[in-house]
Amino acid sequence: MKVAKRDPVIHGMLVEEQQRSREVLRALIAKAEELPKGALNIRRKQVQDKEYLYHYLVRREGQKVVNQHVAERDVSALQQQIAEREKCRAEIRVYKQRLVYLERLLR
């Protein structure tokens, strides 16, 4: 649909929404960077009829895969942080799509 002329009020609202979305995106990226990367894995070790569980945080650093041992007392906090990071990543995807949409509208 072609519009005869651009409405300055609507255009101003779209520009403000674009700026707000960029600020929110920057804040989400900064928040996600502070949270731990990777996934929580469990290793099972069988020693003399006893089974031991070891928790590891697995993440990638460049070409390397790094396994970092996690103490039992820190597991629940780490799971919450990983869930929070995934939630931030989902919101980042939504805001990136919104910015692309707004760019198209403002052309």
Side-chain angles (χ1 to χ4, degrees), residues 21-36:
S21 294
R22 283 186 181 141
E23 290 172 8
V24 170
L25 182 63
R26 274 189 231 113
L28 284 170
I29 289 172
K31 183 177 179 181
E33 288 295 320
E34 293 174 3
L35 296 170

mmCIF file with all atom_site columns, all heavy atoms in Angstrom, residues 21-36:
data_model
loop_
_atom_site.group_PDB
_atom_site.id
_atom_site.type_symbol
_atom_site.label_atom_id
_atom_site.label_alt_id
_atom_site.label_comp_id
_atom_site.label_asym_id
_atom_site.label_entity_id
_atom_site.label_seq_id
_atom_site.pdbx_PDB_ins_code
_atom_site.Cartn_x
_atom_site.Cartn_y
_atom_site.Cartn_z
_atom_site.occupancy
_atom_site.B_iso_or_equiv
_atom_site.pdbx_formal_charge
_atom_site.auth_seq_id
_atom_site.auth_comp_id
_atom_site.auth_asym_id
_atom_site.auth_atom_id
_atom_site.pdbx_PDB_model_num
ATOM 1   N N   . SER A 1 21 ? 14.198 0.298   21.385 1.00 0.00 ? 21 SER A N   1
ATOM 2   C CA  . SER A 1 21 ? 14.533 -1.107  21.129 1.00 0.00 ? 21 SER A CA  1
ATOM 3   C C   . SER A 1 21 ? 16.043 -1.315  21.100 1.00 0.00 ? 21 SER A C   1
ATOM 4   O O   . SER A 1 21 ? 16.539 -2.321  21.599 1.00 0.00 ? 21 SER A O   1
ATOM 5   C CB  . SER A 1 21 ? 13.924 -1.563  19.804 1.00 0.00 ? 21 SER A CB  1
ATOM 6   O OG  . SER A 1 21 ? 12.516 -1.574  19.885 1.00 0.00 ? 21 SER A OG  1
ATOM 7   N N   . ARG A 1 22 ? 16.772 -0.361  20.538 1.00 0.00 ? 22 ARG A N   1
ATOM 8   C CA  . ARG A 1 22 ? 18.240 -0.465  20.523 1.00 0.00 ? 22 ARG A CA  1
ATOM 9   C C   . ARG A 1 22 ? 18.807 -0.424  21.939 1.00 0.00 ? 22 ARG A C   1
ATOM 10  O O   . ARG A 1 22 ? 19.728 -1.177  22.267 1.00 0.00 ? 22 ARG A O   1
ATOM 11  C CB  . ARG A 1 22 ? 18.844 0.661   19.693 1.00 0.00 ? 22 ARG A CB  1
ATOM 12  C CG  . ARG A 1 22 ? 18.743 0.442   18.226 1.00 0.00 ? 22 ARG A CG  1
ATOM 13  C CD  . ARG A 1 22 ? 19.490 1.503   17.456 1.00 0.00 ? 22 ARG A CD  1
ATOM 14  N NE  . ARG A 1 22 ? 19.353 1.266   16.023 1.00 0.00 ? 22 ARG A NE  1
ATOM 15  C CZ  . ARG A 1 22 ? 19.196 2.197   15.125 1.00 0.00 ? 22 ARG A CZ  1
ATOM 16  N NH1 . ARG A 1 22 ? 19.173 3.464   15.488 1.00 0.00 ? 22 ARG A NH1 1
ATOM 17  N NH2 . ARG A 1 22 ? 19.076 1.895   13.857 1.00 0.00 ? 22 ARG A NH2 1
ATOM 18  N N   . GLU A 1 23 ? 18.253 0.456   22.780 1.00 0.00 ? 23 GLU A N   1
ATOM 19  C CA  . GLU A 1 23 ? 18.730 0.545   24.168 1.00 0.00 ? 23 GLU A CA  1
ATOM 20  C C   . GLU A 1 23 ? 18.440 -0.744  24.939 1.00 0.00 ? 23 GLU A C   1
ATOM 21  O O   . GLU A 1 23 ? 19.290 -1.244  25.679 1.00 0.00 ? 23 GLU A O   1
ATOM 22  C CB  . GLU A 1 23 ? 18.067 1.738   24.863 1.00 0.00 ? 23 GLU A CB  1
ATOM 23  C CG  . GLU A 1 23 ? 18.536 3.080   24.365 1.00 0.00 ? 23 GLU A CG  1
ATOM 24  C CD  . GLU A 1 23 ? 17.723 4.229   24.931 1.00 0.00 ? 23 GLU A CD  1
ATOM 25  O OE1 . GLU A 1 23 ? 16.894 4.002   25.833 1.00 0.00 ? 23 GLU A OE1 1
ATOM 26  O OE2 . GLU A 1 23 ? 17.911 5.368   24.457 1.00 0.00 ? 23 GLU A OE2 1
ATOM 27  N N   . VAL A 1 24 ? 17.248 -1.280  24.748 1.00 0.00 ? 24 VAL A N   1
ATOM 28  C CA  . VAL A 1 24 ? 16.882 -2.526  25.425 1.00 0.00 ? 24 VAL A CA  1
ATOM 29  C C   . VAL A 1 24 ? 17.780 -3.661  24.940 1.00 0.00 ? 24 VAL A C   1
ATOM 30  O O   . VAL A 1 24 ? 18.246 -4.482  25.737 1.00 0.00 ? 24 VAL A O   1
ATOM 31  C CB  . VAL A 1 24 ? 15.385 -2.860  25.198 1.00 0.00 ? 24 VAL A CB  1
ATOM 32  C CG1 . VAL A 1 24 ? 15.055 -4.252  25.678 1.00 0.00 ? 24 VAL A CG1 1
ATOM 33  C CG2 . VAL A 1 24 ? 14.512 -1.841  25.886 1.00 0.00 ? 24 VAL A CG2 1
ATOM 34  N N   . LEU A 1 25 ? 18.050 -3.697  23.635 1.00 0.00 ? 25 LEU A N   1
ATOM 35  C CA  . LEU A 1 25 ? 18.919 -4.733  23.077 1.00 0.00 ? 25 LEU A CA  1
ATOM 36  C C   . LEU A 1 25 ? 20.324 -4.653  23.666 1.00 0.00 ? 25 LEU A C   1
ATOM 37  O O   . LEU A 1 25 ? 20.898 -5.667  24.052 1.00 0.00 ? 25 LEU A O   1
ATOM 38  C CB  . LEU A 1 25 ? 18.965 -4.609  21.554 1.00 0.00 ? 25 LEU A CB  1
ATOM 39  C CG  . LEU A 1 25 ? 19.793 -5.643  20.813 1.00 0.00 ? 25 LEU A CG  1
ATOM 40  C CD1 . LEU A 1 25 ? 19.213 -7.038  21.026 1.00 0.00 ? 25 LEU A CD1 1
ATOM 41  C CD2 . LEU A 1 25 ? 19.864 -5.315  19.339 1.00 0.00 ? 25 LEU A CD2 1
ATOM 42  N N   . ARG A 1 26 ? 20.866 -3.433  23.786 1.00 0.00 ? 26 ARG A N   1
ATOM 43  C CA  . ARG A 1 26 ? 22.190 -3.270  24.391 1.00 0.00 ? 26 ARG A CA  1
ATOM 44  C C   . ARG A 1 26 ? 22.198 -3.757  25.837 1.00 0.00 ? 26 ARG A C   1
ATOM 45  O O   . ARG A 1 26 ? 23.135 -4.432  26.276 1.00 0.00 ? 26 ARG A O   1
ATOM 46  C CB  . ARG A 1 26 ? 22.631 -1.807  24.339 1.00 0.00 ? 26 ARG A CB  1
ATOM 47  C CG  . ARG A 1 26 ? 23.296 -1.432  23.046 1.00 0.00 ? 26 ARG A CG  1
ATOM 48  C CD  . ARG A 1 26 ? 23.921 -0.045  23.126 1.00 0.00 ? 26 ARG A CD  1
ATOM 49  N NE  . ARG A 1 26 ? 23.434 0.704   21.969 1.00 0.00 ? 26 ARG A NE  1
ATOM 50  C CZ  . ARG A 1 26 ? 22.630 1.746   22.005 1.00 0.00 ? 26 ARG A CZ  1
ATOM 51  N NH1 . ARG A 1 26 ? 22.231 2.251   23.143 1.00 0.00 ? 26 ARG A NH1 1
ATOM 52  N NH2 . ARG A 1 26 ? 22.227 2.324   20.903 1.00 0.00 ? 26 ARG A NH2 1
ATOM 53  N N   . ALA A 1 27 ? 21.153 -3.429  26.580 1.00 0.00 ? 27 ALA A N   1
ATOM 54  C CA  . ALA A 1 27 ? 21.067 -3.848  27.980 1.00 0.00 ? 27 ALA A CA  1
ATOM 55  C C   . ALA A 1 27 ? 20.959 -5.370  28.088 1.00 0.00 ? 27 ALA A C   1
ATOM 56  O O   . ALA A 1 27 ? 21.595 -5.985  28.959 1.00 0.00 ? 27 ALA A O   1
ATOM 57  C CB  . ALA A 1 27 ? 19.870 -3.187  28.649 1.00 0.00 ? 27 ALA A CB  1
ATOM 58  N N   . LEU A 1 28 ? 20.180 -5.986  27.217 1.00 0.00 ? 28 LEU A N   1
ATOM 59  C CA  . LEU A 1 28 ? 20.040 -7.448  27.243 1.00 0.00 ? 28 LEU A CA  1
ATOM 60  C C   . LEU A 1 28 ? 21.356 -8.139  26.899 1.00 0.00 ? 28 LEU A C   1
ATOM 61  O O   . LEU A 1 28 ? 21.721 -9.149  27.520 1.00 0.00 ? 28 LEU A O   1
ATOM 62  C CB  . LEU A 1 28 ? 18.951 -7.893  26.268 1.00 0.00 ? 28 LEU A CB  1
ATOM 63  C CG  . LEU A 1 28 ? 17.521 -7.673  26.718 1.00 0.00 ? 28 LEU A CG  1
ATOM 64  C CD1 . LEU A 1 28 ? 16.560 -7.939  25.564 1.00 0.00 ? 28 LEU A CD1 1
ATOM 65  C CD2 . LEU A 1 28 ? 17.193 -8.547  27.901 1.00 0.00 ? 28 LEU A CD2 1
ATOM 66  N N   . ILE A 1 29 ? 22.071 -7.608  25.932 1.00 0.00 ? 29 ILE A N   1
ATOM 67  C CA  . ILE A 1 29 ? 23.360 -8.198  25.550 1.00 0.00 ? 29 ILE A CA  1
ATOM 68  C C   . ILE A 1 29 ? 24.343 -8.077  26.702 1.00 0.00 ? 29 ILE A C   1
ATOM 69  O O   . ILE A 1 29 ? 25.071 -9.019  27.015 1.00 0.00 ? 29 ILE A O   1
ATOM 70  C CB  . ILE A 1 29 ? 23.899 -7.535  24.261 1.00 0.00 ? 29 ILE A CB  1
ATOM 71  C CG1 . ILE A 1 29 ? 23.037 -7.967  23.062 1.00 0.00 ? 29 ILE A CG1 1
ATOM 72  C CG2 . ILE A 1 29 ? 25.363 -7.905  24.028 1.00 0.00 ? 29 ILE A CG2 1
ATOM 73  C CD1 . ILE A 1 29 ? 23.355 -7.238  21.777 1.00 0.00 ? 29 ILE A CD1 1
ATOM 74  N N   . ALA A 1 30 ? 24.370 -6.922  27.366 1.00 0.00 ? 30 ALA A N   1
ATOM 75  C CA  . ALA A 1 30 ? 25.270 -6.739  28.512 1.00 0.00 ? 30 ALA A CA  1
ATOM 76  C C   . ALA A 1 30 ? 24.909 -7.696  29.642 1.00 0.00 ? 30 ALA A C   1
ATOM 77  O O   . ALA A 1 30 ? 25.789 -8.284  30.271 1.00 0.00 ? 30 ALA A O   1
ATOM 78  C CB  . ALA A 1 30 ? 25.206 -5.292  29.002 1.00 0.00 ? 30 ALA A CB  1
ATOM 79  N N   . LYS A 1 31 ? 23.622 -7.881  29.885 1.00 0.00 ? 31 LYS A N   1
ATOM 80  C CA  . LYS A 1 31 ? 23.182 -8.796  30.935 1.00 0.00 ? 31 LYS A CA  1
ATOM 81  C C   . LYS A 1 31 ? 23.553 -10.239 30.604 1.00 0.00 ? 31 LYS A C   1
ATOM 82  O O   . LYS A 1 31 ? 24.016 -10.991 31.460 1.00 0.00 ? 31 LYS A O   1
ATOM 83  C CB  . LYS A 1 31 ? 21.671 -8.672  31.123 1.00 0.00 ? 31 LYS A CB  1
ATOM 84  C CG  . LYS A 1 31 ? 21.121 -9.514  32.234 1.00 0.00 ? 31 LYS A CG  1
ATOM 85  C CD  . LYS A 1 31 ? 19.631 -9.286  32.391 1.00 0.00 ? 31 LYS A CD  1
ATOM 86  C CE  . LYS A 1 31 ? 19.071 -10.147 33.491 1.00 0.00 ? 31 LYS A CE  1
ATOM 87  N NZ  . LYS A 1 31 ? 17.624 -9.961  33.642 1.00 0.00 ? 31 LYS A NZ  1
ATOM 88  N N   . ALA A 1 32 ? 23.383 -10.624 29.334 1.00 0.00 ? 32 ALA A N   1
ATOM 89  C CA  . ALA A 1 32 ? 23.707 -11.991 28.915 1.00 0.00 ? 32 ALA A CA  1
ATOM 90  C C   . ALA A 1 32 ? 25.206 -12.258 29.003 1.00 0.00 ? 32 ALA A C   1
ATOM 91  O O   . ALA A 1 32 ? 25.628 -13.374 29.316 1.00 0.00 ? 32 ALA A O   1
ATOM 92  C CB  . ALA A 1 32 ? 23.210 -12.246 27.496 1.00 0.00 ? 32 ALA A CB  1
ATOM 93  N N   . GLU A 1 33 ? 26.020 -11.238 28.760 1.00 0.00 ? 33 GLU A N   1
ATOM 94  C CA  . GLU A 1 33 ? 27.474 -11.405 28.839 1.00 0.00 ? 33 GLU A CA  1
ATOM 95  C C   . GLU A 1 33 ? 27.948 -11.662 30.262 1.00 0.00 ? 33 GLU A C   1
ATOM 96  O O   . GLU A 1 33 ? 28.968 -12.315 30.470 1.00 0.00 ? 33 GLU A O   1
ATOM 97  C CB  . GLU A 1 33 ? 28.190 -10.177 28.263 1.00 0.00 ? 33 GLU A CB  1
ATOM 98  C CG  . GLU A 1 33 ? 28.098 -10.063 26.769 1.00 0.00 ? 33 GLU A CG  1
ATOM 99  C CD  . GLU A 1 33 ? 28.814 -11.193 26.053 1.00 0.00 ? 33 GLU A CD  1
ATOM 100 O OE1 . GLU A 1 33 ? 29.905 -11.592 26.491 1.00 0.00 ? 33 GLU A OE1 1
ATOM 101 O OE2 . GLU A 1 33 ? 28.253 -11.685 25.059 1.00 0.00 ? 33 GLU A OE2 1
ATOM 102 N N   . GLU A 1 34 ? 27.218 -11.142 31.251 1.00 0.00 ? 34 GLU A N   1
ATOM 103 C CA  . GLU A 1 34 ? 27.603 -11.343 32.646 1.00 0.00 ? 34 GLU A CA  1
ATOM 104 C C   . GLU A 1 34 ? 27.280 -12.752 33.145 1.00 0.00 ? 34 GLU A C   1
ATOM 105 O O   . GLU A 1 34 ? 27.898 -13.231 34.093 1.00 0.00 ? 34 GLU A O   1
ATOM 106 C CB  . GLU A 1 34 ? 26.882 -10.326 33.533 1.00 0.00 ? 34 GLU A CB  1
ATOM 107 C CG  . GLU A 1 34 ? 27.316 -8.905  33.315 1.00 0.00 ? 34 GLU A CG  1
ATOM 108 C CD  . GLU A 1 34 ? 26.486 -7.919  34.109 1.00 0.00 ? 34 GLU A CD  1
ATOM 109 O OE1 . GLU A 1 34 ? 25.604 -8.346  34.877 1.00 0.00 ? 34 GLU A OE1 1
ATOM 110 O OE2 . GLU A 1 34 ? 26.724 -6.706  33.957 1.00 0.00 ? 34 GLU A OE2 1
ATOM 111 N N   . LEU A 1 35 ? 26.316 -13.401 32.513 1.00 0.00 ? 35 LEU A N   1
ATOM 112 C CA  . LEU A 1 35 ? 25.886 -14.732 32.952 1.00 0.00 ? 35 LEU A CA  1
ATOM 113 C C   . LEU A 1 35 ? 26.773 -15.806 32.343 1.00 0.00 ? 35 LEU A C   1
ATOM 114 O O   . LEU A 1 35 ? 27.348 -15.606 31.270 1.00 0.00 ? 35 LEU A O   1
ATOM 115 C CB  . LEU A 1 35 ? 24.421 -14.947 32.564 1.00 0.00 ? 35 LEU A CB  1
ATOM 116 C CG  . LEU A 1 35 ? 23.440 -13.996 33.249 1.00 0.00 ? 35 LEU A CG  1
ATOM 117 C CD1 . LEU A 1 35 ? 22.063 -14.111 32.624 1.00 0.00 ? 35 LEU A CD1 1
ATOM 118 C CD2 . LEU A 1 35 ? 23.377 -14.266 34.736 1.00 0.00 ? 35 LEU A CD2 1
ATOM 119 N N   . PRO A 1 36 ? 26.898 -16.969 33.003 1.00 0.00 ? 36 PRO A N   1
ATOM 120 C CA  . PRO A 1 36 ? 27.790 -18.018 32.497 1.00 0.00 ? 36 PRO A CA  1
ATOM 121 C C   . PRO A 1 36 ? 27.287 -18.640 31.204 1.00 0.00 ? 36 PRO A C   1
ATOM 122 O O   . PRO A 1 36 ? 26.088 -18.825 31.011 1.00 0.00 ? 36 PRO A O   1
ATOM 123 C CB  . PRO A 1 36 ? 27.800 -19.048 33.635 1.00 0.00 ? 36 PRO A CB  1
ATOM 124 C CG  . PRO A 1 36 ? 26.551 -18.808 34.383 1.00 0.00 ? 36 PRO A CG  1
ATOM 125 C CD  . PRO A 1 36 ? 26.249 -17.352 34.251 1.00 0.00 ? 36 PRO A CD  1
#
